Amino acid sequence: MDDFVRIHEVGPRDGLQNEAGVISVDRKVALIDMLGKSGLRDIEVGSFVSPKWVPQMADTDQLLARIVPVTGVRYAVLVPNMRGWDAFLKADRSDISTEIAVFISASEGFSQSNLNCSIAESIARLRPVIAAAQIHSVTVRGYVSCVTDCPFDGPTPPSRVADAVRMLRDVAPIPVSLGDTMGQGTPERVTEMLRAVLNEAPAAELAGHFHDTAGRALANIEASLEMGLRAFDSAVGGLGGCPYAPGAPGNVATEAVLGLLDQLGMQTGIDRDVIADAAQLAKDMR
Ligand code: HMG
Ligand code: MG
């Protein structure tokens, strides 16, 4: 069994995007730069989305300008459409390793709420973005949200998740992160969902993205490891709780994932002491 697991740190983006209070660019850059020294290879730093929809991410161009890039680290940003792609290009960091992430939903309800369009329309919007990224040799990662449950449509049938992964990979065979957006998945349901998705994409091109709302994220990661996945998204300090529920858990905490993987004898190449310091910094930001 391959024992190397790749961790995608999403705290600066997924963790902070819901924070209602203003967090300065200085503090975000300090967090990203500390994370860069931990051995992480992938750090998602922000989003080029509408500032009306997600005000906290409106400074992503400034972050990209200010981070002190670490060799070997890839800095990722979310890009929902060509407007976001243009903003990414304008930020002009072709001197460092960057990646864009495109995102769709496995459920129509969340697609409408998050992207203001249907799943099919979201795929159509992404086509030119992926084509442009390919021309510029920028790597692309895909996200599929609501892989177990949707806040609007209820439980998501595994076949719907497989359909969404297929639609995305029909555009281009990009790696896909599977988002348990609601954090309500159980290991049994995650396993059933993965069984369907593995008909569309190999385990090596899939990642698990678990929110820890119900405290089952680590169990869901173990179930995903059993199914062959070796990449997971997490947020340092468990950033990402609901702004209206103080103390509620957000994304699964990077430090907790590293603890689990250590116990299981798996390797990540990440320094847990640096992550512990970054987790403290992240918690102090809220
Ligand atoms: P829209 O309103 O349908 O788009 O939004 P539009 O094309 O009609 O544009 C409306 C306005 O937005 C216009 O401005 C555009 O210029 C502007 P106005 O004329 O009203 O002043 N606009 C933009 N501005 C900046 N950057 C852009 C951009 N595009 C349009 N790229 C849109 C469509 C996708 C933009 C909007 O719905 C949006 O920004 N949604 C936010 C999506 C988001 O960031 N969600 C959170 C991330 S996804 C996530 O967290 C899930 C994940 O973690 C996995 C999981 O857990 O499941 C990845
Ligand atoms: Mg998420």
Side-chain angles (χ1 to χ4, degrees):
M1 184 169 79
D2 182 2
D3 68 354
F4 185 82
V5 173
R6 192 158 181 142
I7 300 293
H8 295 248
E9 171 61 46
V10 297
R13 194 281 303 173
D14 203 355
L16 295 182
Q17 71 183 2
N18 291 324
E19 291 293 328
V22 178
I23 302 172
S24 71
V25 173
D26 281 352
R27 299 188 86 188
K28 291 182 185 174
V29 169
L31 177 64
I32 294 164
D33 285 347
M34 188 182 281
L35 291 166
K37 293 177 186 148
S38 68
L40 277 161
R41 288 289 164 260
D42 294 275
I43 306 176
E44 199 172 78
V45 299
S47 310
F48 286 112
V49 297
S50 163
K52 286 184 192 155
W53 285 60
V54 190
Q56 190 64 254
M57 296 289 105
D59 55 10
T60 297
D61 55 343
Q62 297 173 55
L63 295 182
L64 278 181
R66 299 257 311 271
I67 49 178
V68 179
V70 175
T71 306
V73 177
R74 194 162 52 180
Y75 297 90
V77 291
L78 261 56
V79 169
N81 54 16
M82 282 309 280
R83 170 96 190 253
W85 169 258
D86 291 343
F88 168 74
L89 270 193
K90 199 167 165 220
D92 195 20
R93 289 307 319 244
S94 55
D95 57 318
I96 65 171
S97 175
T98 52
E99 177 173 75
I100 62 160
V102 296
F103 48 109
I104 66 166
S105 171
S107 67
E108 289 293 348
F110 188 73
S111 185
Q112 287 295 346
S113 153
N114 196 41
L115 290 166
N116 205 21
C117 65
S118 68
I119 299 170
E121 284 164 342
S122 71
I123 297 273
R125 284 182 188 177
L126 294 178
R127 246 175 232 288
V129 174
I130 293 175
Q134 286 171 336
I135 289 167
H136 285 81
S137 302
V138 172
T139 60
V140 184
R141 184 177 203 229
Y143 276 108
V144 173
S145 287
C146 298
V147 299
T148 64
D149 300 274
C150 170
F152 308 99
D153 301 350
T156 310
S159 61
R160 284 293 181 86
V161 186
D163 289 347
V165 170
R166 185 178 57 251
M167 284 164 79
L168 196 50
R169 285 171 57 87
D170 276 352
V171 180
I174 55 176
V176 177
S177 173
L178 300 162
D180 179 8
T181 318
M182 301 282 289
Q184 296 297 333
T186 60
E188 295 73 25
R189 293 179 62 219
V190 167
T191 300
E192 198 193 339
M193 178 274 293
L194 287 176
R195 221 171 256 133
V197 170
L198 285 166
N199 290 323
E200 304 298 338
E205 296 189 23
L206 296 171
H209 175 110
F210 295 104
H211 287 256
D212 204 21
T213 324
R216 285 192 291 263
L218 291 178
N220 289 335
I221 288 175
E222 279 203 73
S224 308
L225 285 166
E226 286 287 319
M227 295 298 283
L229 269 62
R230 292 292 180 273
F232 297 96
D233 303 350
S234 60
V236 72
L239 284 174
C242 173
Y244 304 106
N251 287 85
V252 66
T254 305
E255 57 274 22
V257 178
L258 295 179
L260 171 73
L261 295 172
D262 236 17
Q263 269 176 32
L264 297 174
M266 317 228 32
Q267 313 300 317
T268 60
I270 298 169
D271 185 331
R272 290 178 65 185
D273 291 336
V274 180
I275 292 295
D277 289 345
Q280 194 52 54
L281 194 64
K283 285 174 183 161
D284 293 345
M285 287 168 84
R286 307 187 72 185

